[in-house]
Amino acid sequence: MKTFFDMHTHAFDAISVPLDNIIARYGTALQILMAKIPWIKVDDRVKATLNYMQLGTKKILVNTQATILEAAQKNGYDNCVIASLFVDFSQVNPQFHQLDFLRYFDSCLEGSQIDGCKILMFYGVNFNNKRSIDKAVNLYKSGIISGVKIYPPISVMINDCFGFEYFFYSMEKYGIPIVTHCSDGGFIKRGESRRYANKKTNPTNYEKMLYKYPKTRMILAHAGGSDKNFRQKVFEYCRQYRNVYTDISYSLTNKKDMYNIIDSAVKNNSLHKIVFGTDYYVSMFEQLSYKKTVADFKEFVGDKLFDRIVNRNPISFLEATYEK
């Protein structure tokens, strides 16, 4: 049995995302959708927005699994593992209560998993909140979650955060995998500039903590995005720390970014540190076909490297040796 891994997806209910964030990012398509004007042509971008707004429903969960499994099987894999990452939007939207959402997600997940698919839940953590960190530890120890997700652009500046060291201490102590947003794109706080958000997501913010807690299991997602300096630091940490990896999520939609990521990995002897991720469903705003995304990537890197990134590297990350 051979398994295909997508280590970066978002099967969350989009109502948890503050509406102004969505409108700021997806603009006209969402406004057309929300206005429900029947005579407006529903193009692919509007369809994508419509599906995005339905994430978290049983129908979409089943369809998502079926889509990923079909792509996996078409490329010679028997089954798939899907990491579903959650963002703690309560940091910008007080009406969003993540624990209530977890119960909602569990009710959707019940009876909706299809044969051949396994979903790994990565819980959204506010690293500036001790209660949020402790809750994540308890969920992980109970076997409910498989890791945590942090999203610095909507949090406080890491250097001003009193809980950041406690977060790293706790994650390393219990061997909890972390996925963090690490690119020059994504959601930002209302009223804050992209430039300021990028300061919060700069990979150098993790340097002191990785040095102090070198066994931390961490994916610096998006490989720095389009920012050359971010990308350089990401691969520097991948080379320096045994359990630090990156993924190619969202970058799959940009051939130039993909080339730069693979080129940087080769130069840093870090091809074994890249795991496959798509940012599905969010990435489908750029390219609706999941199967085509996978096919284009396989054609770009070749069969051998493709297998390494979608199978062997994710297994290595999830089974990373850890001395307690």
Side-chain angles (χ1 to χ4, degrees):
M1 295 287 285
K2 202 168 187 180
T3 304
F4 174 96
F5 290 80
D6 189 331
M7 291 296 296
H8 196 127
T9 72
H10 294 281
F12 56 81
D13 182 358
I15 62 169
S16 66
V17 184
L19 187 60
D20 53 5
N21 265 297
I22 300 177
I23 290 177
R25 186 169 184 182
Y26 304 120
T28 304
L30 182 68
Q31 292 178 50
I32 292 172
L33 172 68
M34 297 300 288
K36 297 179 180 179
I37 304 175
W39 56 87
I40 295 292
K41 181 181 177 182
V42 182
D43 60 18
D44 286 343
R45 195 170 179 85
V46 176
K47 289 178 183 176
T49 306
L50 177 61
N51 282 330
Y52 182 81
M53 295 301 291
Q54 295 182 71
L55 288 180
T57 64
K58 285 190 177 183
K59 178 182 177 182
I60 294 297
L61 282 173
V62 171
N63 290 347
T64 296
Q65 293 171 79
T67 296
I68 295 176
L69 181 60
E70 183 181 357
Q73 292 176 337
K74 186 174 182 179
N75 288 281
Y77 297 86
D78 303 291
N79 50 38
C80 63
V81 170
I82 305 167
S84 184
L85 313 179
F86 294 82
V87 177
D88 181 8
F89 280 106
S90 66
Q91 297 172 81
V92 291
N93 182 10
Q95 294 181 335
F96 172 50
H97 301 290
Q98 191 167 213
L99 292 181
D100 291 338
F101 175 66
L102 281 176
R103 287 191 286 270
Y104 167 78
F105 180 80
D106 287 340
S107 68
C108 286
L109 197 58
E110 185 177 351
S112 66
Q113 291 200 68
I114 67 174
D115 291 340
C117 284
K118 181 179 181 181
I119 296 179
L120 306 179
M121 184 188 296
F122 277 66
Y123 180 73
V125 171
N126 177 354
F127 53 75
N128 196 38
N129 185 306
K130 184 177 183 296
R131 181 181 295 181
S132 178
I133 296 167
D134 290 342
K135 183 64 181 179
V137 169
N138 291 332
L139 288 169
Y140 183 79
K141 290 167 70 175
S142 301
I144 296 172
I145 64 172
S146 300
V148 300
K149 164 76 170 180
I150 59 174
Y151 203 85
I154 63 169
S155 189
V156 298
M157 181 65 79
I158 287 174
N159 295 334
D160 299 330
C161 175
F162 66 86
F164 202 52
E165 179 160 357
Y166 180 70
F167 170 73
F168 266 86
Y169 162 78
S170 300
M171 298 304 105
E172 190 197 53
K173 179 179 179 180
Y174 296 101
I176 303 175
I178 305 165
V179 177
T180 181
H181 179 87
C182 191
S183 82
D184 52 349
F187 291 113
I188 64 176
K189 272 187 175 181
R190 185 177 185 180
E192 291 186 354
S193 67
R194 171 63 63 189
R195 184 177 180 181
Y196 185 69
N198 287 348
K199 286 184 178 180
K200 294 194 287 186
T201 199
N202 192 316
T204 58
N205 291 329
Y206 305 108
E207 192 161 318
K208 290 182 180 179
M209 292 298 103
L210 287 173
Y211 181 80
K212 190 167 184 177
Y213 303 100
K215 296 177 183 177
T216 301
R217 301 168 65 187
M218 191 172 196
I219 294 176
L220 298 167
H222 313 298
S226 300
D227 190 295
K228 181 180 178 180
N229 294 325
F230 281 16
R231 186 167 57 250
Q232 182 178 332
K233 275 297 178 181
V234 165
F235 282 105
E236 179 182 318
Y237 299 147
C238 285
R239 187 179 67 248
Q240 186 174 355
Y241 297 101
R242 180 183 64 184
N243 294 335
V244 174
Y245 287 67
T246 189
D247 72 30
I248 54 174
S249 55
Y250 213 88
S251 300
L252 287 165
T253 64
N254 186 308
K255 289 185 178 180
K256 182 179 179 181
D257 286 347
M258 270 308 318
Y259 174 83
N260 289 332
I261 289 169
I262 298 300
D263 183 60
S264 296
V266 170
K267 289 178 179 177
N268 285 275
N269 193 29
S270 296
L271 286 174
H272 63 296
K273 289 298 193 76
I274 301 175
V275 301
F276 187 74
T278 56
D279 223 353
Y280 189 78
Y281 192 85
V282 177
S283 61
M284 296 302 104
F285 282 96
E286 306 295 338
Q287 181 174 316
L288 282 175
S289 171
Y290 186 94
K291 286 185 289 185
K292 188 176 188 309
T293 299
V294 175
D296 287 350
F297 177 66
K298 186 175 184 179
E299 181 181 4
F300 181 76
V301 298
D303 292 353
K304 188 175 181 180
L305 183 54
F306 178 81
D307 182 68
R308 187 175 196 173
I309 292 173
V310 306
N311 174 259
R312 288 185 288 153
N313 290 353
I315 290 174
S316 177
F317 173 74
L318 291 169
E319 297 182 352
T321 55
Y322 183 78
E323 299 172 8
K324 294 185 178 180

